[in-house]
Every structure is written in structure tokens, then in C-alpha cells.
Amino acid sequence: MNNSITKNKTTFTTQNLVLMALFAAVLCVSAYISIPLPNGSHITALNFVVTLIGLVFAVEQSFFISLVWLLLGAVGVPVFIGGQGGIGYLLGQYGGYSFAFVIIAIVLPIVCKRTYSRIYFTIAAIVSAVFVDLFGTLWIMIIGGINFKAAFIAGFVPFIALDTMKAIVAAFIAPSFRKILNNAID
């Protein structure tokens, strides 16, 4: 089973655009599924949804979905963590996670375009979770002007355990989503 949700060569058919719009909406809503932490950050479903999108859709589709989400947030629609939006959020302390999500939406479909392998997809999903948390940590360090240890404690430690579990779940359910989406466009 290949990574593309389509069986034809056209990436942006009407049916695919509808599915991509649906997943862009799910990505927007996933920012609201969150647990606020005492330090002002949130544990959200965003990285789970981005990972699932990256494992299910072709690279062009996955990128388009994440780009729509990012652009909606950039113009002020409250689709980022904590119901925030705007360029200020993207350039602020937690904006690095948003950019990392888009990178993952590009890299995962490239890395996982081969036939589904539970071990391979799980490793790729876990590596993507670690990447997002490290990228966000480095962003916090640079934007916040703090040392790596403080940024690591604020931006990596609170998230990595749950993010790893979410990545594993996404890797395990990806083939079911692929099958459902392929059947939806038949």
C-alpha cells in the first residue's frame, strides 16, 4: 500500500481537496484538544494529528494540509496552541513547534512512502516526535535567550513521553486510515 491516498496520478482532485480540507480542519481543532501546563505551555493533539497526516497522505497533500493550517494561524485565525493566532505567536517562544510540524508533514511522507511496516513507521514517528520537541526546545532557547538546559527542561522534558506515545499510536493506526481514505475516494 503506497503513501498516497489516491489511486490515480492527480494529487488535487475534488475528492482529495475535500479530504485535505477535512484534515486541515481536524488539524485546526486539534490545537484545542489540550492540557495546559503550569509553565504556560500545553500538551495538545496537534503533533498526533500532524504525524498521522504525514503517515497517511502523500508529501504534496501533507504539506498542503499543514501549510493551510500555518497560513490560517499566521493571518490571525486562532488555530495554534491555546487558541492563539498571528505572526506574533509564530515568532514567539512556542512558534518553533508550529514550524517543526510543517517540516514533519513534509519529511514523514518522504521517509514512509514505502509499503507499511509497523516497526519502520513507528521508528519514523518517534523520531519525528523527538525532532519536533528538539526543534521547539532550540527555538525556545534562541527566542527566550536562555541556556539549553533551561530550554530543554521547559520545551522537551514535559512533552516527550506523551509525544512518543502519540507517535506510536499514529504509526499503528496509519494503515487503517489509509484504507478508509482510499475507500472513501473510490
Side-chain angles (χ1 to χ4, degrees):
M1 177 184 302
N2 67 22
N3 194 29
S4 176
I5 61 164
T6 71
K7 291 187 173 129
N8 60 29
K9 296 191 185 311
T10 306
T11 300
F12 296 107
T13 64
T14 303
Q15 291 168 322
N16 286 341
L17 286 172
V18 169
L19 285 173
M20 289 186 290
L22 174 66
F23 272 84
V26 170
L27 189 56
C28 292
V29 170
S30 69
Y32 288 91
I33 303 169
S34 69
I35 302 167
L37 298 176
N39 67 357
S41 60
H42 294 254
I43 295 173
T44 72
L46 265 170
N47 52 346
F48 170 76
V49 174
V50 168
T51 303
L52 185 61
I53 288 167
L55 293 173
V56 171
F57 286 89
V59 66
E60 300 88 0
Q61 297 163 329
S62 180
F63 171 67
F64 183 74
I65 293 166
S66 64
L67 182 64
V68 165
W69 167 77
L70 188 72
L71 291 175
L72 284 171
V75 298
V77 178
V79 297
F80 296 139
I81 296 169
Q84 298 183 54
I87 295 291
Y89 176 83
L90 287 174
L91 299 177
Q93 188 172 5
Y94 296 110
Y97 294 99
S98 298
F99 292 113
F101 293 148
V102 176
I103 294 168
I104 288 305
I106 296 167
V107 173
L108 268 179
I110 293 170
V111 172
C112 295
K113 65 182 170 184
R114 63 186 206 156
T115 303
Y116 178 75
S117 162
R118 184 169 294 196
I119 292 171
Y120 185 80
F121 274 49
T122 302
I123 291 169
I126 291 170
V127 169
S128 75
V130 171
F131 171 79
V132 167
D133 289 348
L134 279 176
F135 192 93
T137 296
L138 293 174
W139 189 277
I140 289 170
M141 182 182 80
I142 294 166
I143 298 297
I146 60 177
N147 65 37
F148 181 76
K149 182 179 179 182
F152 187 78
I153 291 169
F156 189 87
V157 173
F159 307 113
I160 193 60
L162 282 174
D163 289 350
T164 300
M165 288 192 297
K166 290 183 273 186
I168 292 168
V169 171
F172 277 51
I173 67 172
S176 297
F177 268 82
R178 284 182 176 185
K179 185 176 182 179
I180 290 167
L181 293 177
N182 276 324
N183 289 339
I185 61 172
D186 282 342

